[in-house]
Amino acid sequence: MNVLVTGGAGFIGSHTVVSLVEAGFNPVILDDFSNSEAGVLDGLEHILGFKPKTYPENCRNGDTLRRIFHEEKIEGVIHFAAFKAVGESMQQPLKYYDNNVGSLIILLQTMLECGVSNLIFSSSCTVYGEPDTLPVTEETPVKPASSVYGNTKQIGEEILYDSVAAGNALKIIALRYFNPIGAHPTAAIGELPRGVPNNLVPFITQTAAGLRESLTVFGDDYPTPDGTCVRDYIHVLDLAEAHVSALKFLLEMKATNYYDIFNIGTGHGASVMQLIQTFERVTGQSLNYKIGPRRAGDVTAVYADAYKSEQHLGWKATRSMDLALADAWRWQQAIATDKNPA
Ligand code: WQD
């Protein structure tokens, strides 16, 4: 069965392409490479033995989507393509609304036109903001977004809900990701942040590799056991496999009109310091870090109650943080330094 993976050359997208093939699906990639490297396709070829069919185009083009839906007989879509830098989204809100929300609207319109009904949407735990209770379930109230990026995910979920509530022939699952980390064990694909990484683990591995002078821990005065923020770090391959489980769940259901939301996390919270200590233990690398001021917009703690995903999708995270950090380090060592521009 042919599945369109928008943003399929990205970090989570490329790992999901691998999991789709391993599950017997035929992924077709649509990626404009605005935030990913064409070399990812070589990495996929190394793992899969072939390069998945790829359309190097933007998914905000209805004609492109119509052509692909017809030519590739697409029966399902996994929609990763979106800008995701929280800080940048505050400086360029219209770029984020146009791309993240605009592309979703065009995708849904074209799916309806072409009779494609199955969609998995990439959402984020950021919609929970600073939760009042932990762990967060899918019923935990969504808080007013603390960033434009987060708002595009909240708006996206509302668009999906309303599109299905209107009675359209759509079966949609929104997956709320927590913090994806790690890389494929072959080190053929992984996280390739452009410029200074936003996220913690690539900053850790680049510092350990000597590409960065030191890691700054953004605050150690939070009300947590060691004063640093707590997150739910999930191996990117566990996250990838959740997409396959969600797609199978949609394909097996009899309903023709469905929408629901699922947390995709490990169910365990870990602090920044725990991540640093685990990295040093697992890799034998000592990390040069210092404590700095809090980063604006950070929440103290957020981690998932993943029971609903286990119950309905038959999915749960199985890989440890030790494995994820070992895989991330192996990936960092494999990629040429030129892929980590200063
Ligand atoms: C994790 C923790 C930082 C870097 C973001 C997005 C979220 C999702 C995942 C897309 C925080 C601390 C980080 C550093 C640090 N992205 N940190 N020093 O902010 O939880 O989530 O990425 O869907 O939507 O908001 O992830 O990796 O940036 O930060 O101390 O150099 O690491 O303060 O506590 P975050 P992160």
Side-chain angles (χ1 to χ4, degrees), residues 8-11 13-18 22 37-52 182-192 235-237 326-336 339:
F11 174 40
S14 57
H15 287 81
T16 302
V17 164
V18 172
E22 287 172 353
E37 311 285 336
V40 169
L41 302 179
D42 298 324
L44 287 172
E45 184 174 28
H46 174 81
I47 296 167
L48 299 172
F50 69 94
K51 270 186 192 174
H184 194 271
T186 61
I189 56 174
E191 191 167 8
L192 259 182
H235 196 296
V236 65
L237 280 176
D327 289 340
W329 178 235
R330 189 181 307 111
W331 162 247
Q332 181 66 58
Q333 292 174 290
I335 48 183
K339 286 191 178 170

Side-chain angles (χ1 to χ4, degrees), residues 49-60:
F50 69 94
K51 270 186 192 174
K53 182 134 188 210
T54 300
Y55 289 79
E57 299 175 55
N58 189 295
C59 69
R60 278 167 40 234

Side-chain angles (χ1 to χ4, degrees), residues 9-333:
F11 174 40
I12 305 168
S14 57
H15 287 81
T16 302
V17 164
V18 172
S19 298
L20 283 166
V21 171
E22 287 172 353
F25 291 98
N26 173 39
V28 174
I29 294 171
L30 172 58
D31 198 308
D32 64 4
F33 294 100
S34 61
N35 193 28
S36 52
E37 311 285 336
V40 169
L41 302 179
D42 298 324
L44 287 172
E45 184 174 28
H46 174 81
I47 296 167
L48 299 172
F50 69 94
K51 270 186 192 174
K53 182 134 188 210
T54 300
Y55 289 79
E57 299 175 55
N58 189 295
C59 69
R60 278 167 40 234
N61 182 318
D63 292 337
T64 299
L65 289 169
R66 262 186 291 279
R67 176 161 45 87
I68 297 172
F69 283 163
H70 289 309
E71 286 174 9
E72 306 296 343
K73 298 179 181 51
I74 298 296
E75 294 182 58
V77 182
I78 303 180
H79 184 45
F80 291 106
F83 295 142
K84 62 165 191 172
V86 170
E88 183 190 47
S89 77
M90 302 306 282
Q91 283 131 30
Q92 302 184 60
L94 294 180
K95 171 182 173 182
Y96 273 66
Y97 287 121
D98 179 44
N99 186 56
N100 294 9
V101 179
S103 66
L104 178 62
I105 292 171
I106 291 168
L107 174 64
L108 287 166
Q109 287 171 329
T110 314
M111 285 177 68
L112 286 172
E113 263 176 55
C114 301
V116 179
S117 59
N118 301 296
L119 172 63
I120 308 293
F121 175 70
S122 165
S123 190
S124 169
C125 65
T126 200
V127 303
Y128 295 115
E130 183 80 69
D132 299 326
T133 56
L134 286 168
V136 292
T137 71
E138 290 81 354
E139 284 64 50
T140 298
V142 167
K143 292 274 184 79
S146 56
S147 72
V148 166
Y149 162 77
N151 204 30
T152 67
K153 291 302 181 182
Q154 289 183 9
I155 294 168
E157 289 189 3
E158 289 167 11
I159 290 170
L160 297 175
Y161 178 87
D162 290 340
S163 299
V164 171
N168 289 304
L170 290 169
K171 296 187 285 174
I172 302 176
I173 282 177
L175 298 180
R176 288 176 178 168
Y177 307 159
F178 285 72
N179 289 59
I181 62 171
H184 194 271
T186 61
I189 56 174
E191 191 167 8
L192 259 182
R194 283 195 167 164
V196 179
N198 291 307
N199 294 124
L200 177 61
V201 171
F203 216 111
I204 286 177
T205 58
Q206 289 186 15
T207 301
L211 298 171
R212 306 245 168 240
E213 180 59 35
S214 70
L215 167 77
T216 301
V217 175
F218 295 144
D220 69 346
D221 58 349
Y222 286 93
T224 61
D226 63 21
T228 63
C229 295
V230 171
R231 296 289 185 275
D232 185 331
Y233 296 98
I234 177 170
H235 196 296
V236 65
L237 280 176
D238 277 333
L239 177 55
E241 288 165 6
H243 291 78
V244 176
S245 300
L247 183 61
K248 285 179 175 174
F249 179 76
L250 288 183
L251 293 172
E252 285 154 12
M253 73 169 54
K254 291 189 175 35
T256 57
N257 173 273
Y258 170 89
Y259 175 63
D260 209 347
I261 296 165
F262 293 89
N263 284 340
I264 302 299
T266 67
H268 306 290
S271 72
V272 176
M273 284 313 300
Q274 282 175 311
L275 224 73
I276 291 172
Q277 289 151 3
T278 304
F279 179 83
E280 292 186 320
R281 172 172 52 78
V282 164
T283 63
Q285 302 292 317
S286 69
L287 202 61
N288 182 21
Y289 68 89
K290 58 182 185 288
I291 306 296
R294 292 184 175 191
R295 178 174 69 175
D298 273 337
V299 301
T300 300
V302 60
Y303 55 91
D305 175 326
Y307 180 69
K308 182 180 172 186
S309 295
E310 184 176 351
Q311 270 298 92
H312 292 267
L313 305 182
W315 170 91
K316 66 182 293 187
T318 59
R319 295 170 176 85
S320 68
M321 183 186 296
D322 285 26
L323 180 68
L325 291 171
D327 289 340
W329 178 235
R330 189 181 307 111
W331 162 247
Q332 181 66 58
Q333 292 174 290

